[in-house]
Amino acid sequence: MNVNRYAENPLITPKDVPPSHPDMRVIGAFNAGVARVGDETVLVLRVAEQASADEDAVGVPVYNPAHRTVEVHWFKRSDPHYDFSDPRAVRRKDTGETVWLTSMSHLRLARSRDGRHFTVEEKPFLAPETPYEAFGVEDPRVAEIGGVYYITYTAVSDHGVAVGLAATRDFRHVWRLGLILPPENKDVVLFPERIGSHYYLLHRPAPRGLGELDIWLAESPNLRAWGNHRFLLAPRKDSWDSLRVGGGAVPIRTDKGWLILYHGANEKNEYAMGACLVDLGDPSRVLARSAEPILKPEALYELAGFFRGVVFSCGAWVEGDVVHMYYGVADESLAGADLSLRDILDSLA
Amino acid sequence: MNVNRYAENPLITPKDVPPSHPDMRVIGAFNAGVARVGDETVLVLRVAEQASADEDAVGVPVYNPAHRTVEVHWFKRSDPHYDFSDPRAVRRKDTGETVWLTSMSHLRLARSRDGRHFTVEEKPFLAPETPYEAFGVEDPRVAEIGGVYYITYTAVSDHGVAVGLAATRDFRHVWRLGLILPPENKDVVLFPERIGSHYYLLHRPAPRGLGELDIWLAESPNLRAWGNHRFLLAPRKDSWDSLRVGGGAVPIRTDKGWLILYHGANEKNEYAMGACLVDLGDPSRVLARSAEPILKPEALYELAGFFRGVVFSCGAWVEGDVVHMYYGVADESLAGADLSLRDILDSLA
């Protein structure tokens, strides 16, 4: 697989992003949904912020919908009840449960004409606002359907990790369409057009008991209500995607089928991107799947950072044979790479 | 709370139910959805079956959709990799994960004219048939909407615990409408009529990470596709429903609001039934909730059995002021009780 990483990588780093509030510090500018608006590339970027640092304590920012403010809860690092070893979360030592996140994310726009140099907007585009977003909004994907850009995103709160839908026509005004999937679910990508009489999406439930971290398919008459849930793709033992898989970019229509770029991770939490192909007329039929990743962490900015060894794409757009893929690196910054569509299709078993 | 348990309790026990196959043994006839058809009470009963007993081994029955047969996998009790302490499941010792169920359930009809003496049908009404039902179908609820009886049930397989929808007009022919909610979810009850322009249901997701075992609300234009998921009711600390809650009977329309009979359990896995009231026009508004259970395990058949200390209702019907409630006892048999609707409403704080 020929991967042409951009020489400008990483394209956007935390220091390129002004914080949403003087008391906050941007620690991540990564996982971005991608839209083409005229000849502009618009990224809907996940921006993660922490409360100002304290060596002895971990600050947990939480949006309070009643007061419409962000409050910071401080945990002493010496507190024996909690495990702080994962930089992303505070866990209860007795049950291992994630109880808080150490950062809060919002969505921010970044725009570019050449696809490599981006101007990041000053203010958040979609920031936590509902009780389901109290711990943040994360990992947006953007699908353009009938002139409307639909954004599926992860809504995180003490109610769980759920999936929100928002829409915009102009990337200025955005409106929410509610939670389209209940906890625990994430990695939702909409197919960019109806197939037959229904809309389709990919989702990734995280069940408590039976079941793995699989990709599922669902269908809808109206984009807001979803049913006919069907299993689509599982992790593969002894493979780079042995522990979890999840949808990445919005599916790409090719003459061989819908091309799905997905992420997978193994037991070491090493994230890479793979591809699979599903039937154009019946997306529940998996036609082919790549044995090896199409992109895996190799560059320095992919191997080092906040959470090492992660490449995680939420969006790409296609120009002729070129897939312009944007992807988060090390849960910290944003990078881009060009891949050949034909190369990807040829690599599918 | 005056609870008039039926003198005939338990109304149906495993020995009243012919097995679905000579190699199987009925160990549970419990959690039943309830429908009124003319002057008949029809129960859609959960029937749990085990493979014929073996002292040294645990048999796990699994439906194989490719061969359309039930296969039994045997685990030696001495196998150090598995934990057999819970009679309902085989768990991996290293991760604590439930990997198999020791019984497989199907749905069976039972009919009665007096509501106390039931005739159990010879054959299953809805038995595992799809890959999502390989470990069984469980805990049905029945809602009559526009002359059709809709059955929401738990579909269990190695893909997870999901929610299926089936429909019947006559309790002879039944057709499936797919999975309406992905894993992990259960305890789904449909509201028996539209509210405004939408149908509504209660569901109970079980998230892997953040979030508790809460009751949620969802809405639909067509009963098949569901969206606008909203949190409704949480477990209460230091209460009889401290660990989990889940919808029970189909909501009952009263002039004060929709009366929801739900189950709750505490950390000791003691299950009882409670009640809450939500707004007639906006079921996301909780108006009142009972501090104490309306029914808790007290009778001998509730306190002893396959899984002790459980009362679990999946259905009730109302005649004047009388709530005829049917409920599973000890995950083994089915019982009934009459409660006063006014008493329940008066008990709500």
Side-chain angles (χ1 to χ4, degrees):
Chain A
M1 186 68 49
N2 257 324
V3 177
N4 176 26
R5 286 176 170 81
Y6 298 161
E8 297 83 353
N9 278 349
L11 306 176
I12 304 175
T13 67
K15 68 176 168 34
D16 300 322
V17 182
S20 65
H21 188 277
D23 293 345
M24 300 296 277
R25 189 167 52 97
V26 174
I27 61 152
F30 54 126
N31 307 350
V34 177
R36 285 288 289 177
V37 183
D39 57 359
E40 221 178 32
T41 300
V42 176
L43 301 181
V44 181
L45 197 66
R46 171 178 171 191
V47 172
E49 297 179 301
Q50 278 185 344
S52 300
D54 183 323
E55 272 189 17
D56 301 326
V58 173
V60 167
V62 177
Y63 180 77
N64 182 329
H67 300 153
R68 295 176 169 266
T69 53
V70 174
E71 297 163 359
V72 179
H73 303 266
W74 291 97
F75 289 79
K76 288 217 162 136
R77 285 192 185 277
S78 55
D79 189 328
H81 299 98
Y82 297 100
D83 171 6
F84 303 100
S85 61
D86 183 334
R88 302 171 300 181
V90 177
R91 296 204 162 83
R92 276 175 59 162
K93 268 195 182 150
D94 52 353
T95 63
E97 282 175 296
T98 302
V99 283
W100 304 99
L101 303 187
T102 57
S103 66
M104 192 166 81
S105 293
H106 65 265
L107 308 185
R108 187 83 65 104
L109 300 184
R111 299 170 188 267
S112 172
R113 296 217 171 257
D114 67 2
R116 303 188 179 208
H117 300 88
F118 283 87
T119 305
V120 178
E121 293 199 346
E122 289 293 308
K123 302 274 181 195
F125 175 62
L126 190 101
E129 198 176 297
T130 78
Y132 307 107
E133 300 169 355
F135 294 2
V137 291
E138 303 180 355
D139 297 355
R141 277 81 168 181
V142 185
E144 185 187 350
I145 305 175
V148 177
Y149 298 92
Y150 290 94
I151 303 164
T152 50
Y153 62 94
T154 310
V156 188
S157 74
D158 53 352
H159 292 302
V161 175
V163 179
L165 178 66
T168 181
R169 290 185 180 276
D170 54 12
F171 286 101
R172 271 191 284 271
H173 303 99
V174 60
W175 68 97
R176 283 171 170 79
L177 297 166
L179 294 183
I180 55 171
L181 291 169
E184 182 165 337
N185 215 312
K186 50 167 58 176
D187 300 327
V188 167
V189 292
L190 294 166
F191 284 70
E193 57 187 81
R194 278 178 196 259
I195 302 169
S197 57
H198 283 86
Y199 299 99
Y200 286 82
L201 61 69
L202 305 176
H203 62 97
R204 212 292 302 285
R208 180 178 288 224
L210 290 164
E212 293 185 284
L213 296 168
D214 300 330
I215 297 177
W216 286 60
L217 184 73
E219 59 186 59
S220 171
N222 62 7
L223 292 168
R224 297 182 184 220
W226 294 89
N228 198 20
H229 296 272
R230 288 177 285 174
F231 160 81
L232 191 71
L233 209 75
R236 292 176 293 197
K237 269 186 192 170
D238 304 320
S239 175
W240 62 274
D241 54 1
S242 57
L243 181 66
R244 59 177 72 215
V245 291
V250 165
I252 296 163
R253 179 189 256 286
T254 76
D255 51 8
K256 297 197 170 171
W258 289 105
L259 177 64
I260 293 169
L261 306 181
Y262 73 91
H263 68 262
N266 61 18
E267 277 78 4
K268 295 178 193 164
N269 270 322
E270 294 164 337
Y271 280 73
M273 295 299 301
C276 86
L277 198 68
V278 301
D279 190 84
L280 277 182
D282 175 5
S284 74
R285 282 189 59 217
V286 176
L287 305 176
R289 184 172 176 183
S290 55
E292 295 301 322
I294 59 167
L295 179 73
K296 61 183 176 185
E298 285 173 339
L300 182 60
Y301 49 84
E302 295 161 356
L303 295 168
F306 183 72
F307 199 84
R308 295 163 192 193
V310 173
V311 294
F312 190 99
S313 177
C314 294
W317 71 280
V318 178
E319 190 177 23
D321 182 56
V322 182
V323 178
H324 301 290
M325 187 164 83
Y326 294 91
Y327 60 102
V329 293
D331 278 9
E332 182 169 319
S333 298
L334 191 86
D338 287 344
L339 293 90
S340 154
L341 187 56
R342 186 178 309 164
D343 276 8
I344 297 174
L345 291 172
D346 287 349
S347 77
L348 299 174
Chain B
M1 185 71 47
N2 256 324
V3 177
N4 177 25
R5 286 175 170 81
Y6 297 162
E8 297 83 354
N9 279 349
L11 306 176
I12 304 175
T13 68
K15 69 176 168 32
D16 302 321
V17 182
S20 64
H21 188 279
D23 293 346
M24 300 296 277
R25 190 167 51 97
V26 174
I27 61 153
F30 54 127
N31 308 350
V34 178
R36 284 289 288 178
V37 183
D39 57 358
E40 221 178 32
T41 299
V42 177
L43 300 182
V44 181
L45 198 63
R46 171 178 170 189
V47 172
E49 298 180 301
Q50 278 185 343
S52 300
D54 183 324
E55 271 189 17
D56 300 327
V58 173
V60 168
V62 177
Y63 180 77
N64 182 329
H67 300 153
R68 296 178 166 266
T69 54
V70 175
E71 297 163 359
V72 179
H73 304 267
W74 290 97
F75 289 79
K76 289 216 162 138
R77 283 191 185 276
S78 55
D79 189 327
H81 299 98
Y82 297 101
D83 171 6
F84 302 101
S85 61
D86 183 334
R88 303 170 299 180
V90 177
R91 296 206 161 83
R92 277 175 58 164
K93 269 195 182 151
D94 54 352
T95 62
E97 280 175 296
T98 303
V99 283
W100 304 99
L101 303 187
T102 56
S103 66
M104 192 167 82
S105 294
H106 65 265
L107 308 186
R108 187 85 64 103
L109 300 184
R111 299 170 189 267
S112 173
R113 296 218 171 255
D114 67 2
R116 302 188 179 209
H117 301 87
F118 283 87
T119 306
V120 178
E121 293 199 347
E122 288 293 308
K123 302 275 183 195
F125 175 63
L126 189 101
E129 199 176 295
T130 78
Y132 307 107
E133 299 168 358
F135 293 2
V137 291
E138 304 180 352
D139 298 354
R141 276 81 167 182
V142 185
E144 185 188 351
I145 306 176
V148 177
Y149 298 92
Y150 290 94
I151 303 164
T152 50
Y153 63 95
T154 309
V156 188
S157 75
D158 53 352
H159 292 302
V161 176
V163 179
L165 179 66
T168 182
R169 289 184 180 278
D170 55 12
F171 286 101
R172 271 191 286 270
H173 303 97
V174 61
W175 67 97
R176 283 171 171 78
L177 298 166
L179 294 183
I180 54 171
L181 291 169
E184 182 163 340
N185 215 313
K186 51 167 58 174
D187 300 327
V188 167
V189 292
L190 294 167
F191 284 71
E193 57 187 81
R194 279 179 196 258
I195 302 168
S197 57
H198 283 87
Y199 298 101
Y200 285 82
L201 60 69
L202 304 177
H203 63 97
R204 212 291 303 281
R208 179 177 289 224
L210 289 165
E212 293 185 283
L213 296 167
D214 300 330
I215 297 176
W216 286 61
L217 183 74
E219 59 185 60
S220 172
N222 61 7
L223 291 170
R224 296 182 184 221
W226 294 89
N228 197 20
H229 296 272
R230 287 176 286 174
F231 160 81
L232 191 71
L233 209 73
R236 292 176 291 197
K237 269 188 192 166
D238 306 318
S239 173
W240 61 275
D241 54 2
S242 57
L243 182 66
R244 59 178 72 215
V245 291
V250 165
I252 297 163
R253 179 189 254 286
T254 76
D255 52 9
K256 296 197 172 172
W258 289 104
L259 177 65
I260 293 168
L261 305 181
Y262 73 92
H263 67 262
N266 61 19
E267 276 78 6
K268 296 179 192 163
N269 270 324
E270 294 165 337
Y271 281 73
M273 295 299 300
C276 85
L277 198 69
V278 301
D279 190 84
L280 278 181
D282 175 5
S284 74
R285 281 188 60 218
V286 176
L287 305 176
R289 184 172 176 182
S290 55
E292 296 301 321
I294 60 167
L295 179 73
K296 61 184 176 184
E298 285 173 340
L300 182 61
Y301 49 84
E302 296 161 354
L303 294 168
F306 183 72
F307 198 85
R308 295 165 191 189
V310 173
V311 294
F312 190 98
S313 176
C314 293
W317 70 280
V318 178
E319 190 177 21
D321 182 56
V322 181
V323 178
H324 302 290
M325 187 164 83
Y326 294 92
Y327 58 102
V329 293
D331 278 8
E332 182 169 319
S333 298
L334 191 87
D338 288 344
L339 293 90
S340 154
L341 188 55
R342 186 178 310 165
D343 275 7
I344 297 174
L345 291 173
D346 286 349
S347 77
L348 298 174

